[in-house]
Amino acid sequence: KAGVTQTPRYLIKTRGQQVTLSCSPISGHRSVSWYQQTPGQGLQFLFEYFSETQRNKGNFPGRFSGRQFSNSRSEMNVSTLELGDSALYLCASGILAGPTYEQYFGPGTRLTVT
Amino acid sequence: EDKVVQSPLSLVVHEGDTVTLNCSYEVTNFRSLLWYKQEKKAPTFLFMLTSSGIEKKSGRLSSILDKKELFSILNITATQTGDSAVYLCAVEGSGGSNYKLTFGKGTLLTVNP
């Protein structure tokens, strides 16, 4: 089974621009979560989608948004980029395992904002 | 707000040593605690713990959860240089059917030959 894929792997943008990141979950997984990882803050939850609906959202400004398509692929958009948005953005594909979910991470997209 | 604290933040040991990594948490509606290993790439899943007192083992790694005292430990015996990584602890807590993981800042383990 193919793993979680994220595109692009690396991205360089300038302040004020917007960016769209893509995540394709493991086949059969309907949950996709997004995380931001920075050296100072560690891994922080952005949002989670299940069957095209956002089920949960972390404490990030409205510039961060996402969506999920009917094939479970998800996109994350960041508008009006700031220097502090430079980070590794990880997507995780989830599947129900008993009473909870197991998550498998993609390789991440390294975003640099200059 | 859910909170996960890992200690120590970093650790340097020699090959063959045994290490214990700690993770304490405060979470609403606890569902599970997960351990991940992260090298220079995305985190890879190690263990998921849902019940107190039941040790999970995988080779030289083992982990146990204490839901009364709200902590978990990850043990690595006979460490090898390949164990060098950041070890992340995450807790799943939610209301209703929503799913959300809260991560600790991680423990950076360096194993020297």
Side-chain angles (χ1 to χ4, degrees):
Chain A
K1 224 182 218 185
V4 181
T5 57
Q6 289 187 247
T7 56
R9 293 292 309 278
Y10 301 92
L11 206 49
I12 299 174
K13 291 282 189 179
T14 56
R15 273 184 301 176
Q17 287 186 310
Q18 76 162 24
V19 66
T20 298
L21 312 182
S22 180
C23 171
S24 292
I26 294 170
S27 176
H29 289 198
R30 292 162 66 190
S31 167
V32 174
S33 299
W34 288 90
Y35 296 86
Q36 181 195 66
Q37 187 174 33
T38 58
Q41 298 298 319
L43 258 169
Q44 291 186 290
F45 174 78
L46 280 156
F47 27 67
E48 188 243 353
Y49 286 87
F50 184 89
S51 292
E52 302 178 66
T53 301
Q54 186 183 88
R55 291 202 299 189
N56 212 338
K57 190 175 189 307
N59 297 323
F60 278 81
R63 300 185 297 106
F64 292 81
S65 62
R67 58 179 175 166
Q68 187 180 33
F69 302 94
S70 58
N71 61 358
S72 294
R73 188 177 72 85
S74 177
E75 287 182 348
M76 191 192 93
N77 186 275
V78 187
S79 62
T80 319
L81 284 165
E82 300 176 0
L83 295 179
D85 297 333
S86 295
L88 179 67
Y89 290 89
L90 290 163
C91 154
S93 162
I95 191 165
L96 193 63
T100 185
Y101 275 93
E102 290 184 355
Q103 276 197 325
Y104 299 89
F105 283 88
T109 294
R110 172 74 63 186
L111 172 65
T112 302
V113 182
T114 61
Chain B
E1 190 169 315
D2 298 346
K3 188 175 164 185
V4 177
V5 177
Q6 291 186 245
S7 63
L9 288 181
S10 66
L11 192 53
V12 179
V13 300
H14 291 290
E15 268 191 319
D17 288 350
T18 292
V19 298
T20 298
L21 310 183
N22 302 291
C23 175
S24 64
Y25 62 89
E26 294 172 25
V27 64
T28 304
N29 298 326
F30 174 89
R31 287 192 174 181
S32 65
L33 184 144
L34 300 95
W35 285 96
Y36 289 87
K37 176 182 180 183
Q38 186 174 26
E39 297 167 273
K40 292 186 189 300
K41 52 184 191 283
T44 53
F45 175 81
L46 293 174
F47 298 111
M48 180 171 69
L49 303 156
T50 56
S51 302
S52 269
I54 298 174
E55 186 182 50
K56 291 218 171 177
K57 283 187 73 103
S58 176
R60 296 176 294 102
L61 277 66
S62 63
S63 183
I64 197 161
L65 173 68
D66 186 327
K67 287 166 76 173
K68 184 179 172 191
E69 300 297 330
L70 307 182
F71 77 92
S72 173
I73 59 172
L74 175 69
N75 278 321
I76 309 175
T77 58
T79 52
Q80 302 171 358
T81 54
D83 296 327
S84 296
V86 174
Y87 289 84
L88 295 164
C89 170
V91 175
E92 180 195 358
S94 68
S97 62
N98 292 341
Y99 174 71
K100 175 186 170 184
L101 277 184
T102 302
F103 280 83
K105 296 273 176 80
T107 293
L108 172 62
L109 174 65
T110 303
V111 182
N112 290 323

